Amino acid sequence: MSTTAHAPLRTYLKLICVALFWGGTFIAGKMVAQQIPHLIAATGRFLVASGLLLLLAWRVEGGLPKLTRPQLHATFALGATGIFLYNICFFSALARMPAGRTALFVALNPIVTALALALLFGERLGARKWLGIAIAFVGAAIVITRGDLAGAAHDLSQSVGVGELFMLCAVCAWAAYTIIGRHALKGLSPIAATTYASLWGLLLLTCGSLFEIRDVDWSQFTWSVLAAIVYLGAFGTVIGFVWYYEGVKSIGPARTAVFNNLVPVFGISLSSLLLGEPVLVSMVIGGLLVIAGVSLTNK
């Protein structure tokens, strides 16, 4: 049997691993967020990621291309939204919420992106996609309120705390990153665009982290925290990115995107196994509704 015949199976296994790696970022992020300041944690993550991406760009594409002015603006916007803002909100949410519950919020990314494209760019959504969006938001409401929709309607502050607000902001930041990447980047490969975005994000995070250095307890940089930062940068960012785009190239973006639905599943499972977090019935029911809504919207 030819190597080509084996390629799809390898691709599917890699995409399952990508979902596992991305699910694992919530556990690694939780470990880091509880020990060191968030901007410094994010800076460490993208110091690792940017170094590996630069090496990858050099090995695969012979280096980074020179940017035009529009590309300069676009890659800065990518770094400001998907790297800088997303990671500030990501670590801030994990410091206040269980990792598994946080992972379920990320499942809303495609829904928020589709909604933003419809509202801001006039993209038409058919009845099926609107139904998917509605189902996903009902699922999210069940997760956020822990199944107590009536109680939340009476007093929203009981269900939506600071952590939930940070995670909703993270989802919006990633939706902005996705939309900018789809509409504003012309003539850049995924590797080049991601590398430039990571470098811009690293610059912004480094500037912000300077204000946190005085608050750092360097004894908190244990081997487990350093390993978690390396995991976030290497597996959660670079290897996940490379294998994901291999999937897009091999089986197409629509079939590849389906594997994103496994991320919250792995996130909840790992948080239960490794952190001992409880798996609530509302998380299971709400999570299934979110995944069903996302699948319907992406068809």
Side-chain angles (χ1 to χ4, degrees):
M1 196 173 284
S2 67
T3 305
T4 308
H6 288 288
L9 177 60
R10 284 204 307 272
T11 299
Y12 294 136
L13 290 175
K14 282 184 175 182
L15 288 172
I16 291 171
C17 286
V18 169
L20 176 62
F21 295 157
W22 287 346
T25 61
F26 295 93
I27 284 72
K30 183 76 174 175
M31 292 170 59
V32 173
Q34 291 178 323
Q35 300 297 325
I36 60 177
H38 305 149
L39 282 166
I40 289 177
T43 301
R45 174 183 186 174
F46 280 92
L47 189 61
V48 173
S50 296
L52 292 174
L53 284 167
L54 283 169
L55 179 62
L56 181 67
W58 175 71
R59 289 287 301 274
V60 175
E61 300 180 350
L64 292 174
K66 187 176 180 180
L67 297 178
T68 63
R69 187 179 293 273
Q71 288 171 341
L72 191 69
H73 295 158
T75 52
F76 176 80
L78 288 176
T81 54
I83 310 299
F84 181 67
L85 287 176
Y86 176 84
N87 278 273
I88 289 174
C89 296
F90 172 77
F91 283 109
S92 298
L94 281 170
R96 296 167 172 85
M97 291 170 60
R101 186 167 154 82
T102 308
L104 282 170
F105 277 73
V106 174
L108 285 173
N109 279 329
I111 297 296
V112 174
T113 301
L115 207 52
L117 286 168
L119 296 174
L120 300 177
F121 294 91
E123 286 200 11
R124 298 195 61 172
L125 299 177
R128 185 184 67 244
K129 290 194 174 186
W130 279 114
L131 178 61
I133 288 171
I135 291 172
F137 275 116
V138 169
I142 291 173
V143 172
I144 292 169
T145 64
R146 299 174 179 83
D148 186 13
L149 293 172
H154 182 261
D155 185 4
L156 191 61
S157 64
Q158 288 183 353
S159 302
V160 182
V162 176
E164 283 81 4
L165 291 175
F166 270 121
M167 206 56 220
L168 289 172
C169 288
V171 170
C172 292
W174 192 257
Y177 177 90
T178 304
I179 292 168
I180 292 165
R182 185 183 300 185
H183 287 271
L185 291 173
K186 304 294 181 185
L188 283 180
S189 70
I191 289 177
T194 305
T195 303
Y196 273 118
S198 294
L199 290 170
W200 279 121
L202 177 60
L203 176 63
L204 293 171
L205 288 167
T206 302
C207 292
S209 68
L210 295 176
F211 295 97
E212 291 185 340
I213 286 181
R214 70 184 71 178
D215 301 323
V216 174
D217 179 0
W218 295 102
S219 66
Q220 297 294 331
F221 280 84
T222 61
W223 285 110
S224 60
V225 168
L226 292 173
I229 291 173
V230 171
Y231 174 88
L232 287 165
F235 289 88
T237 306
V238 179
I239 296 175
F241 158 78
V242 173
W243 286 3
Y244 189 83
Y245 276 99
E246 280 183 12
V248 171
K249 195 173 181 181
S250 177
I251 64 175
R255 291 168 72 186
T256 301
V258 172
F259 286 84
N260 289 333
N261 292 333
L262 291 175
V263 175
V265 176
F266 281 124
I268 292 171
S269 302
L270 291 170
S271 66
S272 177
L273 289 171
L274 301 178
L275 302 178
E277 293 180 0
V279 180
L280 304 177
V281 175
S282 60
M283 289 169 61
V284 175
I285 295 173
L288 289 174
L289 285 173
V290 169
I291 291 171
V294 169
S295 300
L296 198 59
T297 303
N298 286 338
K299 279 186 179 179

